[in-house]
Amino acid sequence: MAQDSADGAADTEIPDAELKHNAIGFLDALVIGLNSTSPAYSLAAAIGPIVALAGIYAPGVMLASFVPMLLIAAAFYYLNKVDQDCGTTFSWVTRAMGPWAGWLGGWAITMTGVLVIGSLADVAVNFGLLAVGLDDWAAHPVIRQTLTVVVILAMTAICVIGTELSAHLQDVLILAQVLFLLLFAVVAVYRVYAGTSTLDSVEPSLSWLNPFGAGGAALTGGLLLGVFIYWGWESAVNLTEEMRDSATAPGKAGIWSTVVLLVTYLSVGFAVVAYAGTEYLAVHADDEEAVFAALAHEVMGGWDWMVLLAVSTSALASTQTTIIPASRTALSMARRHALPHTFAHIQPRFLTPDVSTWWVAGIAIAWYLVVNQISENALLDSVTALSLLIAFYYALTGVACAVYYRRHLLENPHNFLLIGVGPLVGAGLLGWLLVESIGDMSHPEKSYSGVSWFGLGPPLVIGIGIAVVGVLIMCFWRVQDGRFWRERRTVVDPALVHGRKPEP
């Protein structure tokens, strides 16, 4: 009885306020999902290494990378239909597989934000300064890092002020980004066929879409990079509690985000490979600015600032949208007593999770500044560690989908293929990529810094460190407040499986 009273008293500490309902629609969520992936920046960072691995078949590798993302997006869609919780993977995995797996899934999502927010803001500042000709400022670490912190604080404030303001800003940023990318691609392809390319150009061919053209090893490496360039679309689903038609619109926005990304990546990939040829891109594989800084000048001449600005706006948009999944996952965990109730606080005026949002930003800033003191390469190594966390919680979500609907998978072919087999195949591919990533990261010479931490590559050490800290915090909170671990798991309503409202 005393324990029940204590639990009841603790329950009253959790605020009753909710996130703002019907704040945004499908198109807003689609834009946020797209911007979360930072397509221009992702292409700038990945196209060189992908071409180095696959040559002219780089577009095919990007096509193959799309497959596991689409399968996991389907899992997000079907899980969101039965549980519109802003914690997404945390909530779904908890209901399907229990609190321990659910907590670790939530921890992985939150930490991806912490690892990457500083890097994204740094890229936004760096390319923005280059676009306006302030190269000396971009090369000055103190100036760049100070401006990066200012950008993170500004983007965090916009997230707290309101979801509608965030969505409006994202609309502007995605329009600028897509416009500049399309102009770049059109000019590049035109100059290839006009014979005015300044590099060793190659006429495009549909055969480039063959993902096996360069061999299995190239495909494996390309898929690992594909996890990075497609990651982020699920931010649309983290806004489910703030969307109109929350049962289906967020999941559809996630799926359509991956499709739009595929078209964008293939279009620009074809244009870049055709204009520059494989040798130029392979030589610049380790230079993030190779495609959209060095190559921008080759293609656009004096208009290269437009491409630099596209990368800057891409990273700026992603800085903001990456805060969303981390903060709302922390909010969801706190509401379910998986974290201290302070993180569940909702800002009374704007109806946004202000405490969890500022905490995510604060930890991300601290991580960015501390890692930068080690070296700039250490910051890149921390971003590389993202693939471990991403593959883990995506795969966990795919498995959770099949487990959640397990009693309904044999009712018809639709359920069996799209809700069961598809997500499990996606989870299997990502699980395999997780193992491959761990193998690659165990070799220090393959890291950006080229140094050894405890005999391993820095990205793997960072990933292991995050996992260990997460397990320790989880065990501590289990002892401190065990209510989350005593929750009853819910059963799927058969009506929701088929998209019908359950009977009252």
Side-chain angles (χ1 to χ4, degrees):
M1 180 67 71
Q3 180 62 44
D4 291 341
S5 300
D7 288 351
D11 281 339
T12 61
E13 297 177 359
I14 302 294
D16 294 326
E18 297 181 350
L19 296 169
K20 188 173 183 179
H21 299 301
N22 301 319
I24 60 173
F26 168 79
L27 289 178
D28 295 317
L30 176 62
V31 167
I32 288 173
L34 290 172
N35 271 329
S36 294
T37 63
S38 191
Y41 165 64
S42 297
L43 281 168
I47 190 67
I50 291 176
V51 171
L53 287 167
I56 59 173
Y57 298 103
V61 170
M62 288 190 282
L63 175 62
S65 302
F66 164 74
V67 174
M69 292 299 103
L70 180 63
L71 297 175
I72 297 302
F76 271 75
Y77 172 78
Y78 287 108
L79 287 169
N80 182 73
K81 287 183 70 174
V82 293
D83 184 12
Q84 293 90 57
D85 189 298
C86 66
T88 60
T89 294
F90 158 72
S91 179
W92 304 331
V93 173
T94 297
R95 295 182 186 279
M97 302 167 65
W100 297 97
W103 200 100
L104 290 174
W107 174 255
I109 294 176
T110 304
M111 291 309 297
T112 55
V114 168
L115 287 178
V116 80
I117 287 171
S119 177
L120 288 168
D122 185 274
V123 169
V125 168
N126 188 39
F127 276 79
L129 292 173
L130 292 175
V132 296
L134 296 175
D135 296 33
D136 291 340
W137 285 28
H140 197 291
V142 174
I143 293 177
R144 193 179 70 251
Q145 290 173 29
T146 301
L147 290 174
T148 296
V149 172
V150 171
V151 165
I152 295 174
L153 293 175
M155 293 297 101
T156 305
I158 292 173
C159 286
V160 171
I161 290 174
T163 305
E164 297 102 319
L165 178 60
S166 298
H168 294 328
L169 176 61
Q170 293 298 318
D171 291 342
V172 174
L173 293 176
I174 194 66
L175 285 174
Q177 183 180 164
V178 170
L179 175 63
F180 294 149
L181 282 176
L182 288 177
L183 283 173
F184 173 78
V186 168
V187 172
V189 172
Y190 170 79
R191 294 189 63 180
V192 169
Y193 283 104
T196 59
S197 171
T198 58
L199 299 173
D200 189 16
S201 63
V202 184
E203 284 199 11
S205 170
L206 289 177
S207 64
W208 295 1
L209 291 175
N210 178 12
F212 303 100
L219 179 59
T220 301
L223 287 172
L224 291 171
L225 290 168
V227 171
F228 169 74
I229 66 174
Y230 283 100
W231 169 67
W233 50 265
E234 76 274 12
S235 292
V237 190
N238 286 102
L239 294 168
T240 182
E241 296 181 31
E242 298 155 88
M243 284 187 63
R244 296 184 289 274
D245 191 17
S246 60
T248 57
K252 288 180 180 177
I255 291 174
W256 277 105
S257 293
T258 63
V259 174
V260 174
L261 287 169
L262 172 66
V263 174
T264 303
Y265 290 157
L266 290 184
S267 300
V268 177
F270 264 96
V272 166
V273 174
Y275 185 91
T278 58
E279 183 176 348
Y280 177 89
L281 294 171
V283 168
H284 293 83
D286 295 326
D287 182 4
E288 281 191 354
E289 300 179 12
V291 175
F292 290 148
L295 186 56
H297 183 71
E298 297 285 346
V299 176
M300 305 294 287
W303 293 89
D304 59 343
W305 61 269
M306 297 176 66
V307 183
L308 297 173
L309 193 59
V311 178
S312 179
T313 56
S314 175
L316 184 65
S318 192
T319 300
Q320 182 197 344
T321 53
T322 302
I323 296 171
I324 292 173
S327 63
R328 279 152 179 78
T329 298
L331 164 68
S332 178
M333 294 177 75
R335 288 189 309 201
R336 301 271 287 275
H337 315 295
L339 284 177
H341 75 273
T342 303
F343 293 100
H345 185 265
I346 302 294
Q347 213 285 334
R349 178 181 175 187
F350 304 117
L351 300 181
T352 55
D354 56 340
V355 173
S356 62
T357 301
W358 284 113
W359 265 96
V360 168
I363 298 173
I365 289 172
W367 178 270
Y368 168 74
L369 294 176
V370 169
V371 173
N372 256 306
Q373 300 312 306
I374 300 174
S375 72
E376 186 175 350
N377 286 332
L379 179 64
L380 296 174
D381 282 330
S382 74
V383 174
T384 304
L386 274 177
S387 63
L388 299 175
L389 301 179
I390 297 167
F392 170 72
Y393 80 80
Y394 274 176
L396 203 58
T397 307
V399 173
C401 183
V403 173
Y404 205 105
Y405 283 101
R406 62 190 179 277
R407 295 184 179 90
H408 307 285
L409 296 180
L410 299 180
E411 291 178 354
N412 54 62
H414 171 276
N415 289 4
F416 180 72
L417 294 175
L418 298 184
I419 304 179
V421 174
L424 283 178
V425 170
L429 288 172
L430 289 166
W432 167 63
L433 291 174
L434 176 62
V435 174
E436 290 291 325
S437 293
I438 292 174
D440 287 343
M441 294 178 187
S442 64
H443 302 289
E445 66 274 8
K446 293 186 179 181
S447 68
Y448 279 102
S449 55
V451 301
S452 172
W453 291 3
F454 308 106
L456 301 171
L460 182 56
V461 174
I462 293 171
I464 293 173
I466 289 173
V468 170
V469 171
V471 170
L472 292 176
I473 293 176
M474 178 176 62
C475 293
F476 168 79
W477 194 247
R478 171 66 179 85
V479 174
Q480 186 75 13
D481 184 347
R483 283 174 290 171
F484 168 66
W485 282 265
R486 294 193 295 271
E487 273 190 359
R488 293 184 62 185
R489 292 158 65 181
T490 59
V491 179
V492 182
D493 190 305
L496 292 174
V497 179
H498 304 289
R500 303 190 304 270
K501 292 183 179 180
E503 295 296 329

